[in-house]
Amino acid sequence: MTQLAQRTQRIDASGIRRVFDLARSLENPINLSIGQPDFDVPDGVKKAACDAIGAGHNTYTPTQGIAPLRRQLLAEEKAFTQRDWSEQELLVTSGVSGGLFLALLALVEDGDEVIIPDPYFVMYKQLVRFLGGTPVYLDTYDSDFGIDPDRLAALITPKTKALLINSPANPTGRILSRSELEAVAAVCRKRGLLVISDEIYRHFAYGPMTSMAEVYENTLLLAGHSKSYGMTGWRLGYACGPAPIIRAMTMVQQYSFVCAPAVTQYAALACPQVELGPYIDDYRAKRDLMVSILGEHFKLAPPDGAFYLWAEAPAGYTGTSFVEKAIANNMLIIPGAVFSERDTHFRICYTVPDDMLRKGAELLCKLALD
Ligand SMILES: Cc1ncc(COP(=O)(O)O)c(C=O)c1O
């Protein structure tokens, strides 16, 4: 038997795999587990993709990304973050996952620590561990899922490589306010600490949204098109940050992904023509609907953005045991232990039609009262 690399032992996909295995065994479940938008790629973007294929844009692109997309993204980032990014500070990646992987590959060495607010997006913990680093969890449960700057300061050691934040967040939907980000920036500035800021949900903000890059110079920003344009399968994202880090990430991309998908890069040139307002309004209304029904029976995190709700399991249940009960009633939700070192909550994704959402919310309330 060929021996697998030791690093494969350090990652564990069992939690989420179990949920998806169960999903396959259910017939027409009320499925509130899928973390992606329910709208299709907008027509103008689809047409741009077809046109790109027709025009023969099917070959490798420069590793950094095609020039017109790079210009477009630099202009967008300048507007969003109020910072004048240079050419050397941008890399087009294969999704935010691609950017995250390249960043951590370029930064994390054996024994390095990466501070991750808990709850967290599943990939963070696994990738840091895969690369030989140690995730250091910053508990946010008793700070309303925000970051307590004193607690952050106490976790920083000489081995700390970066703080990895996500706002609006998966799984909580929490947005870190400008003043919270400024407090985080003050701690990081004092210690010279890099912040990796995953802003993949930045357009799904139902209130003010500040980018970490606006308030802190030493930020590596990761953003992408998957969620905003229903393009999860098209694999496009980008990283903006300190030139030496972008240079190292570009080098790693050259020998791994090579470039982000060419057709998708050309298609993304049509994204600025898409009016995102209606999609955002739709998800805001779904959030309001879920909060109004579930708020009566569950303790919810403040859902300011993204398209998730993070709810505490009723008394007497762990996150997992409550999810098992939901599954026994033909509903799929995700146990909090997949996103956390605790097993007290569950995650709902509300990107489904309203009738299913209502049915799901009512069933959850019934289960909580059982
Ligand atoms: C917080 C967060 N970051 C990154 C990703 C991955 O996004 P992409 O499709 O751009 O790789 C996801 C997808 O669920 C996510 O929730």
Side-chain angles (χ1 to χ4, degrees), residues 35-36 94-98 100 121 123-124 166 168-170 198 200-201 223-227 231-233 235-237 308 347:
Q36 58 183 345
S94 293
V96 170
S97 311
L100 198 56
F121 172 50
M123 239 178 233
Y124 301 163
N166 175 216
N170 176 6
D198 177 348
I200 189 163
Y201 297 102
H225 298 64
S226 286
K227 313 287 178 176
M231 278 165 49
T232 50
R235 315 308 310 130
L236 194 66
Y308 306 106
R347 189 196 77 174

Side-chain angles (χ1 to χ4, degrees), residues 2 88 104 338:
T2 304
Q88 290 70 39
L104 294 174
V338 167

